[in-house]
mmCIF file of all heavy atoms in Angstrom:
data_model
loop_
_atom_site.group_PDB
_atom_site.id
_atom_site.type_symbol
_atom_site.label_atom_id
_atom_site.label_comp_id
_atom_site.label_asym_id
_atom_site.label_seq_id
_atom_site.Cartn_x
_atom_site.Cartn_y
_atom_site.Cartn_z
ATOM 1 N N TRP T 371 -99.191 12.513 84.134
ATOM 2 C CA TRP T 371 -98.015 12.162 84.909
ATOM 3 C C TRP T 371 -97.051 13.327 84.843
ATOM 4 O O TRP T 371 -97.207 14.262 84.045
ATOM 5 C CB TRP T 371 -97.317 10.832 84.245
ATOM 6 C CG TRP T 371 -96.985 10.923 82.846
ATOM 7 C CD1 TRP T 371 -95.808 11.342 82.242
ATOM 8 C CD2 TRP T 371 -97.840 10.481 81.790
ATOM 9 N NE1 TRP T 371 -95.983 11.245 80.953
ATOM 10 C CE2 TRP T 371 -97.098 10.702 80.544
ATOM 11 C CE3 TRP T 371 -99.109 10.030 81.690
ATOM 12 C CZ2 TRP T 371 -97.683 10.409 79.320
ATOM 13 C CZ3 TRP T 371 -99.666 9.665 80.459
ATOM 14 C CH2 TRP T 371 -98.973 9.892 79.241
ATOM 15 N N GLU T 372 -95.963 13.277 85.733
ATOM 16 C CA GLU T 372 -95.043 14.324 85.771
ATOM 17 C C GLU T 372 -94.304 14.502 84.421
ATOM 18 O O GLU T 372 -93.791 13.463 83.962
ATOM 19 C CB GLU T 372 -94.029 14.097 86.873
ATOM 20 C CG GLU T 372 -94.357 14.983 88.143
ATOM 21 C CD GLU T 372 -93.335 14.578 89.295
ATOM 22 O OE1 GLU T 372 -92.106 14.895 89.039
ATOM 23 O OE2 GLU T 372 -93.798 14.166 90.280
ATOM 24 N N TYR T 373 -94.275 15.575 83.848
ATOM 25 C CA TYR T 373 -93.640 15.840 82.559
ATOM 26 C C TYR T 373 -92.770 17.075 82.700
ATOM 27 O O TYR T 373 -93.255 18.120 83.071
ATOM 28 C CB TYR T 373 -94.730 15.857 81.446
ATOM 29 C CG TYR T 373 -93.997 16.228 80.103
ATOM 30 C CD1 TYR T 373 -93.396 15.197 79.358
ATOM 31 C CD2 TYR T 373 -93.775 17.565 79.680
ATOM 32 C CE1 TYR T 373 -92.658 15.511 78.221
ATOM 33 C CE2 TYR T 373 -93.056 17.879 78.529
ATOM 34 C CZ TYR T 373 -92.460 16.779 77.794
ATOM 35 O OH TYR T 373 -91.825 17.050 76.633
ATOM 36 N N ALA T 374 -91.516 16.841 82.256
ATOM 37 C CA ALA T 374 -90.626 18.025 82.178
ATOM 38 C C ALA T 374 -90.158 18.292 80.764
ATOM 39 O O ALA T 374 -89.922 17.323 80.088
ATOM 40 C CB ALA T 374 -89.429 17.796 83.118
ATOM 41 N N ASP T 375 -90.025 19.557 80.358
ATOM 42 C CA ASP T 375 -89.589 19.916 79.046
ATOM 43 C C ASP T 375 -88.221 19.131 78.901
ATOM 44 O O ASP T 375 -87.475 18.976 79.721
ATOM 45 C CB ASP T 375 -89.426 21.346 78.904
ATOM 46 C CG ASP T 375 -90.702 22.087 78.521
ATOM 47 O OD1 ASP T 375 -91.654 21.342 78.209
ATOM 48 O OD2 ASP T 375 -90.775 23.344 78.640
ATOM 49 N N GLY T 376 -88.092 18.665 77.644
ATOM 50 C CA GLY T 376 -86.856 17.852 77.348
ATOM 51 C C GLY T 376 -87.198 16.398 77.294
ATOM 52 O O GLY T 376 -86.505 15.670 76.574
ATOM 53 N N GLU T 377 -88.215 15.927 77.925
ATOM 54 C CA GLU T 377 -88.575 14.553 77.972
ATOM 55 C C GLU T 377 -89.326 14.171 76.659
ATOM 56 O O GLU T 377 -90.114 15.035 76.171
ATOM 57 C CB GLU T 377 -89.425 14.091 79.143
ATOM 58 C CG GLU T 377 -88.706 14.019 80.463
ATOM 59 C CD GLU T 377 -89.601 13.903 81.599
ATOM 60 O OE1 GLU T 377 -90.818 13.653 81.454
ATOM 61 O OE2 GLU T 377 -89.131 14.092 82.760
ATOM 62 N N ARG T 378 -89.098 13.006 76.126
ATOM 63 C CA ARG T 378 -89.742 12.576 74.842
ATOM 64 C C ARG T 378 -91.162 12.121 75.299
ATOM 65 O O ARG T 378 -91.420 11.393 76.358
ATOM 66 C CB ARG T 378 -89.024 11.396 74.238
ATOM 67 C CG ARG T 378 -87.657 11.730 73.796
ATOM 68 C CD ARG T 378 -86.976 10.477 73.226
ATOM 69 N NE ARG T 378 -87.172 9.343 74.129
ATOM 70 C CZ ARG T 378 -87.393 8.040 73.736
ATOM 71 N NH1 ARG T 378 -87.465 7.817 72.513
ATOM 72 N NH2 ARG T 378 -87.493 7.117 74.578
ATOM 73 N N ILE T 379 -92.106 12.426 74.489
ATOM 74 C CA ILE T 379 -93.534 11.914 74.628
ATOM 75 C C ILE T 379 -94.133 11.668 73.343
ATOM 76 O O ILE T 379 -93.848 12.337 72.321
ATOM 77 C CB ILE T 379 -94.299 12.984 75.463
ATOM 78 C CG1 ILE T 379 -95.725 12.351 75.844
ATOM 79 C CG2 ILE T 379 -94.446 14.295 74.756
ATOM 80 C CD1 ILE T 379 -96.417 13.227 76.947
ATOM 81 N N LEU T 380 -94.944 10.570 73.197
ATOM 82 C CA LEU T 380 -95.574 10.224 71.914
ATOM 83 C C LEU T 380 -97.062 10.775 71.949
ATOM 84 O O LEU T 380 -97.705 10.575 72.917
ATOM 85 C CB LEU T 380 -95.561 8.670 71.837
ATOM 86 C CG LEU T 380 -96.489 8.093 70.762
ATOM 87 C CD1 LEU T 380 -95.963 8.482 69.338
ATOM 88 C CD2 LEU T 380 -96.452 6.488 70.889
ATOM 89 N N LEU T 381 -97.424 11.498 70.890
ATOM 90 C CA LEU T 381 -98.710 11.994 70.740
ATOM 91 C C LEU T 381 -99.324 11.275 69.494
ATOM 92 O O LEU T 381 -98.630 11.399 68.452
ATOM 93 C CB LEU T 381 -98.787 13.478 70.527
ATOM 94 C CG LEU T 381 -98.690 14.463 71.685
ATOM 95 C CD1 LEU T 381 -99.608 14.101 72.861
ATOM 96 C CD2 LEU T 381 -97.227 14.578 72.184
ATOM 97 N N GLU T 382 -100.522 10.686 69.610
ATOM 98 C CA GLU T 382 -101.007 10.086 68.425
ATOM 99 C C GLU T 382 -102.468 10.318 68.266
ATOM 100 O O GLU T 382 -103.133 10.710 69.252
ATOM 101 C CB GLU T 382 -100.601 8.558 68.369
ATOM 102 C CG GLU T 382 -101.165 7.721 69.485
ATOM 103 C CD GLU T 382 -100.623 6.313 69.430
ATOM 104 O OE1 GLU T 382 -99.483 6.116 68.976
ATOM 105 O OE2 GLU T 382 -101.457 5.433 69.835
ATOM 106 N N GLU T 383 -102.983 10.052 67.069
ATOM 107 C CA GLU T 383 -104.400 10.342 66.816
ATOM 108 C C GLU T 383 -105.183 9.396 67.694
ATOM 109 O O GLU T 383 -104.851 8.189 67.970
ATOM 110 C CB GLU T 383 -104.696 10.066 65.327
ATOM 111 C CG GLU T 383 -104.835 8.668 64.952
ATOM 112 C CD GLU T 383 -105.265 8.361 63.476
ATOM 113 O OE1 GLU T 383 -106.387 8.433 63.096
ATOM 114 O OE2 GLU T 383 -104.327 8.047 62.768
ATOM 115 N N LYS T 384 -106.335 9.898 68.189
ATOM 116 C CA LYS T 384 -107.324 8.999 68.981
ATOM 117 C C LYS T 384 -108.122 8.261 67.896
ATOM 118 O O LYS T 384 -108.941 8.808 67.215
ATOM 119 C CB LYS T 384 -108.153 9.980 69.789
ATOM 120 C CG LYS T 384 -109.139 9.154 70.677
ATOM 121 C CD LYS T 384 -109.804 10.056 71.667
ATOM 122 C CE LYS T 384 -110.678 9.279 72.616
ATOM 123 N NZ LYS T 384 -111.869 8.679 71.971
ATOM 124 N N VAL T 385 -107.767 6.954 67.862
ATOM 125 C CA VAL T 385 -108.326 6.175 66.792
ATOM 126 C C VAL T 385 -109.816 5.697 67.232
ATOM 127 O O VAL T 385 -109.961 5.264 68.338
ATOM 128 C CB VAL T 385 -107.482 4.883 66.486
ATOM 129 C CG1 VAL T 385 -108.146 4.028 65.435
ATOM 130 C CG2 VAL T 385 -106.061 5.270 66.087
ATOM 131 N N GLU T 386 -110.733 6.045 66.367
ATOM 132 C CA GLU T 386 -112.147 5.562 66.633
ATOM 133 C C GLU T 386 -112.209 4.176 66.028
ATOM 134 O O GLU T 386 -112.754 3.909 64.982
ATOM 135 C CB GLU T 386 -113.181 6.518 65.945
ATOM 136 C CG GLU T 386 -113.058 8.018 66.456
ATOM 137 C CD GLU T 386 -113.254 8.053 67.946
ATOM 138 O OE1 GLU T 386 -114.025 7.249 68.552
ATOM 139 O OE2 GLU T 386 -112.611 9.001 68.566
ATOM 140 N N PHE T 387 -111.704 3.211 66.783
ATOM 141 C CA PHE T 387 -111.661 1.872 66.312
ATOM 142 C C PHE T 387 -112.983 1.104 66.337
ATOM 143 O O PHE T 387 -113.762 1.341 67.249
ATOM 144 C CB PHE T 387 -110.530 1.017 66.915
ATOM 145 C CG PHE T 387 -110.488 1.117 68.439
ATOM 146 C CD1 PHE T 387 -111.345 0.311 69.180
ATOM 147 C CD2 PHE T 387 -109.614 1.926 69.039
ATOM 148 C CE1 PHE T 387 -111.304 0.292 70.504
ATOM 149 C CE2 PHE T 387 -109.595 1.992 70.450
ATOM 150 C CZ PHE T 387 -110.422 1.210 71.196
ATOM 151 N N ASP T 388 -113.150 0.120 65.455
ATOM 152 C CA ASP T 388 -114.363 -0.748 65.590
ATOM 153 C C ASP T 388 -114.050 -1.889 66.596
ATOM 154 O O ASP T 388 -114.961 -2.437 67.209
ATOM 155 C CB ASP T 388 -114.672 -1.363 64.248
ATOM 156 C CG ASP T 388 -114.965 -0.370 63.111
ATOM 157 O OD1 ASP T 388 -115.724 0.553 63.590
ATOM 158 O OD2 ASP T 388 -114.354 -0.382 62.139
ATOM 159 N N MET T 389 -112.786 -2.250 66.698
ATOM 160 C CA MET T 389 -112.445 -3.407 67.489
ATOM 161 C C MET T 389 -110.941 -3.323 67.822
ATOM 162 O O MET T 389 -110.212 -2.747 66.991
ATOM 163 C CB MET T 389 -112.802 -4.649 66.627
ATOM 164 C CG MET T 389 -112.728 -5.958 67.359
ATOM 165 S SD MET T 389 -112.895 -7.314 66.134
ATOM 166 C CE MET T 389 -114.645 -7.301 65.779
ATOM 167 N N GLU T 390 -110.500 -3.888 68.966
ATOM 168 C CA GLU T 390 -109.149 -4.068 69.200
ATOM 169 C C GLU T 390 -108.802 -5.579 69.017
ATOM 170 O O GLU T 390 -109.577 -6.488 69.515
ATOM 171 C CB GLU T 390 -108.687 -3.736 70.537
ATOM 172 C CG GLU T 390 -108.701 -2.193 70.738
ATOM 173 C CD GLU T 390 -108.083 -1.721 72.091
ATOM 174 O OE1 GLU T 390 -106.877 -1.723 72.234
ATOM 175 O OE2 GLU T 390 -108.846 -1.307 73.022
ATOM 176 N N VAL T 391 -107.718 -5.856 68.255
ATOM 177 C CA VAL T 391 -107.333 -7.298 67.941
ATOM 178 C C VAL T 391 -105.840 -7.504 68.307
ATOM 179 O O VAL T 391 -105.089 -6.510 68.395
ATOM 180 C CB VAL T 391 -107.637 -7.662 66.516
ATOM 181 C CG1 VAL T 391 -109.156 -7.618 66.218
ATOM 182 C CG2 VAL T 391 -106.898 -6.757 65.502
ATOM 183 N N ALA T 392 -105.516 -8.794 68.470
ATOM 184 C CA ALA T 392 -104.079 -9.037 68.535
ATOM 185 C C ALA T 392 -103.746 -10.319 67.801
ATOM 186 O O ALA T 392 -104.513 -11.281 67.714
ATOM 187 C CB ALA T 392 -103.759 -9.355 70.037
ATOM 188 N N LEU T 393 -102.550 -10.352 67.220
ATOM 189 C CA LEU T 393 -102.141 -11.470 66.476
ATOM 190 C C LEU T 393 -100.882 -11.963 67.127
ATOM 191 O O LEU T 393 -99.903 -11.181 67.271
ATOM 192 C CB LEU T 393 -101.749 -11.096 64.944
ATOM 193 C CG LEU T 393 -101.647 -12.141 63.905
ATOM 194 C CD1 LEU T 393 -100.582 -13.150 64.136
ATOM 195 C CD2 LEU T 393 -102.978 -12.988 63.676
ATOM 196 N N LEU T 394 -100.916 -13.143 67.537
ATOM 197 C CA LEU T 394 -99.667 -13.756 68.233
ATOM 198 C C LEU T 394 -98.993 -14.782 67.288
ATOM 199 O O LEU T 394 -99.637 -15.567 66.640
ATOM 200 C CB LEU T 394 -100.012 -14.456 69.504
ATOM 201 C CG LEU T 394 -99.933 -13.687 70.790
ATOM 202 C CD1 LEU T 394 -100.996 -12.517 70.733
ATOM 203 C CD2 LEU T 394 -100.190 -14.475 72.027
ATOM 204 N N ILE T 395 -97.722 -14.544 67.095
ATOM 205 C CA ILE T 395 -96.844 -15.337 66.242
ATOM 206 C C ILE T 395 -95.594 -15.731 66.955
ATOM 207 O O ILE T 395 -95.102 -14.938 67.832
ATOM 208 C CB ILE T 395 -96.606 -14.625 64.925
ATOM 209 C CG1 ILE T 395 -95.841 -15.556 63.944
ATOM 210 C CG2 ILE T 395 -95.807 -13.369 65.192
ATOM 211 C CD1 ILE T 395 -95.847 -14.912 62.508
ATOM 212 N N ALA T 396 -95.050 -16.998 66.852
ATOM 213 C CA ALA T 396 -93.866 -17.341 67.458
ATOM 214 C C ALA T 396 -92.815 -17.461 66.394
ATOM 215 O O ALA T 396 -93.148 -17.955 65.313
ATOM 216 C CB ALA T 396 -93.993 -18.684 68.255
ATOM 217 N N ARG T 397 -91.656 -17.039 66.703
ATOM 218 C CA ARG T 397 -90.517 -17.145 65.737
ATOM 219 C C ARG T 397 -89.323 -17.935 66.487
ATOM 220 O O ARG T 397 -88.931 -17.555 67.543
ATOM 221 C CB ARG T 397 -90.047 -15.831 65.155
ATOM 222 C CG ARG T 397 -88.964 -16.031 64.083
ATOM 223 C CD ARG T 397 -88.617 -14.618 63.524
ATOM 224 N NE ARG T 397 -87.475 -14.725 62.657
ATOM 225 C CZ ARG T 397 -86.172 -14.778 63.044
ATOM 226 N NH1 ARG T 397 -85.886 -14.563 64.349
ATOM 227 N NH2 ARG T 397 -85.318 -14.845 62.136
ATOM 228 N N ARG T 398 -88.869 -18.902 65.868
ATOM 229 C CA ARG T 398 -87.884 -19.806 66.400
ATOM 230 C C ARG T 398 -86.464 -19.085 66.097
ATOM 231 O O ARG T 398 -86.374 -18.381 64.983
ATOM 232 C CB ARG T 398 -87.992 -21.156 65.723
ATOM 233 C CG ARG T 398 -87.038 -22.138 66.193
ATOM 234 C CD ARG T 398 -87.299 -23.442 65.244
ATOM 235 N NE ARG T 398 -86.233 -24.342 65.463
ATOM 236 C CZ ARG T 398 -86.062 -25.400 64.884
ATOM 237 N NH1 ARG T 398 -87.029 -25.903 63.983
ATOM 238 N NH2 ARG T 398 -85.003 -26.211 65.021
ATOM 239 N N LEU T 399 -85.524 -19.409 66.885
ATOM 240 C CA LEU T 399 -84.199 -18.789 66.651
ATOM 241 C C LEU T 399 -83.732 -18.878 65.243
ATOM 242 O O LEU T 399 -83.243 -17.981 64.565
ATOM 243 C CB LEU T 399 -83.139 -19.397 67.583
ATOM 244 C CG LEU T 399 -81.757 -18.689 67.639
ATOM 245 C CD1 LEU T 399 -81.796 -17.314 68.193
ATOM 246 C CD2 LEU T 399 -80.754 -19.610 68.328
ATOM 247 N N SER T 400 -83.935 -20.129 64.567
ATOM 248 C CA SER T 400 -83.462 -20.324 63.241
ATOM 249 C C SER T 400 -84.503 -19.845 62.229
ATOM 250 O O SER T 400 -84.153 -20.080 61.032
ATOM 251 C CB SER T 400 -83.106 -21.808 63.037
ATOM 252 O OG SER T 400 -84.130 -22.688 63.526
ATOM 253 N N GLY T 401 -85.562 -19.273 62.611
ATOM 254 C CA GLY T 401 -86.318 -18.570 61.625
ATOM 255 C C GLY T 401 -87.734 -19.068 61.420
ATOM 256 O O GLY T 401 -88.629 -18.332 60.894
#
Side-chain angles (χ1 to χ4, degrees):
W371 55 89
E372 258 178 61
Y373 176 82
D375 277 349
E377 284 172 14
R378 300 175 313 141
I379 187 167
L380 170 63
L381 280 311
E382 60 186 34
E383 80 180 277
K384 183 169 181 295
V385 178
E386 299 304 329
F387 52 77
D388 301 314
M389 193 188 281
E390 288 190 76
V391 293
L393 196 298
L394 267 66
I395 185 167
R397 183 174 174 278
R398 184 182 164 186
L399 186 67
S400 51

